[in-house]
Amino acid sequence: HLRDEARIADTTTPRRFNPLTGAGRLSLAQDRWRGDFDLGHDGVTLGHLALNHDARAGGGGLTIDAPRIVFAEGGLQPEALSPLAVEFVKSPATGEVGFTGHVDWVDGGEGSSGGVLTIPSLDFTSPAGPVRGLQGRIEFTSLAPLETAPNQHLTAREIETAVTLSEVNLDFGLGKNGVMLDAGETELAGGRARIEPFLIPLDPTQPIQGVLVLDQVQLGELIQEA
């Protein structure tokens, strides 16, 4: 039995998470490795990681359980955990998220991975403006590369752009090339605004193009608010 601290780093490109610390116990018995570690970042405990590997069969896996990660102004922020958050979630972010996931491998074959990100409530600044009350659940079908199941759904109480968007609903999916926004709808100036499907590239240098459909929107009210 060994008990120590280790540095956990992501070796994929692009990097999904920044280096974390793992403190716990690793044991070997009958050619089977088992480990239990507390995951942390800069002194903040994030969750738990469990490792299981059969040295004879050459297969195993790990599970990640981080049910409550709290973000606070002046404290932990999303970009400290993942470089992927830098372009989409600006500081300060307040609220909480949770993540459970798994990575499995087999000798001489392809492994599998997946997970679920839950967002009870999150406030942050996006490239479009401040977002308040983001909620939802995102199911990942792969963690390397990051991909989601189709038709993922998020809601936001308010997005403050040039005008204030209320009760925003977004249906989307994450693939290798970017985020595919399948549908977006919000209340706007006495009517409804709907976004037609379009791709948001993961590369921030690439342009974003889309179509906005307005239904019974009061343009006078919209101009006055802007």
Side-chain angles (χ1 to χ4, degrees):
H1 293 266
L2 299 175
R3 181 171 179 82
D4 207 342
E5 290 191 1
R7 183 175 182 269
I8 302 171
D10 188 2
T11 59
T12 62
T13 302
R15 196 169 71 250
R16 295 158 297 174
F17 63 87
N18 292 324
L20 302 173
T21 58
R25 186 176 298 277
L26 182 65
S27 64
L28 174 62
Q30 297 180 344
D31 294 320
R32 183 177 291 274
W33 288 95
R34 289 185 174 88
D36 290 284
F37 304 93
D38 291 326
L39 291 176
H41 175 80
D42 198 21
V44 178
T45 300
L46 304 175
H48 182 77
L49 184 149
L51 170 69
N52 183 24
H53 178 73
D54 189 328
R56 292 182 180 179
L62 60 85
T63 59
I64 307 160
D65 185 21
R68 189 169 184 262
I69 301 174
V70 178
F71 300 115
E73 189 170 354
L76 182 66
Q77 290 293 297
E79 68 259 27
L81 301 182
S82 173
L84 300 177
V86 173
E87 296 296 331
F88 300 100
V89 182
K90 306 293 184 181
S91 297
T94 59
E96 63 180 84
V97 301
F99 179 76
T100 58
H102 69 91
V103 178
D104 300 304
W105 54 85
V106 294
D107 186 21
E110 292 188 4
S112 63
S113 61
V116 175
L117 176 69
T118 55
I119 309 173
S121 181
L122 187 65
D123 297 348
F124 62 96
T125 300
S126 73
V131 178
R132 300 181 182 91
L134 184 71
Q135 295 181 328
R137 178 182 184 275
I138 303 175
E139 179 185 350
F140 291 95
T141 56
S142 171
L143 301 181
L146 277 177
E147 294 182 2
T148 69
N151 301 320
Q152 301 299 295
H153 184 73
L154 291 175
T155 63
R157 184 177 69 252
E158 189 175 270
I159 300 179
E160 187 177 329
T161 59
V163 295
T164 300
L165 308 177
S166 303
E167 303 302 327
V168 182
N169 293 278
L170 297 173
D171 294 322
F172 68 97
L174 172 63
K176 297 177 182 179
N177 297 323
V179 178
M180 184 64 196
L181 186 63
D182 298 317
E185 191 172 357
T186 181
E187 296 179 2
L188 179 64
R192 303 291 297 179
R194 187 180 74 255
I195 301 172
E196 295 292 326
F198 70 97
L199 179 71
I200 304 175
L202 293 179
D203 184 351
T205 65
Q206 297 300 310
I208 300 174
Q209 296 180 338
V211 175
L212 179 66
V213 179
L214 304 179
D215 182 17
Q216 298 184 1
V217 172
Q218 304 300 313
L219 294 181
E221 181 180 337
L222 188 63
I223 294 171
Q224 184 178 10
E225 184 177 348

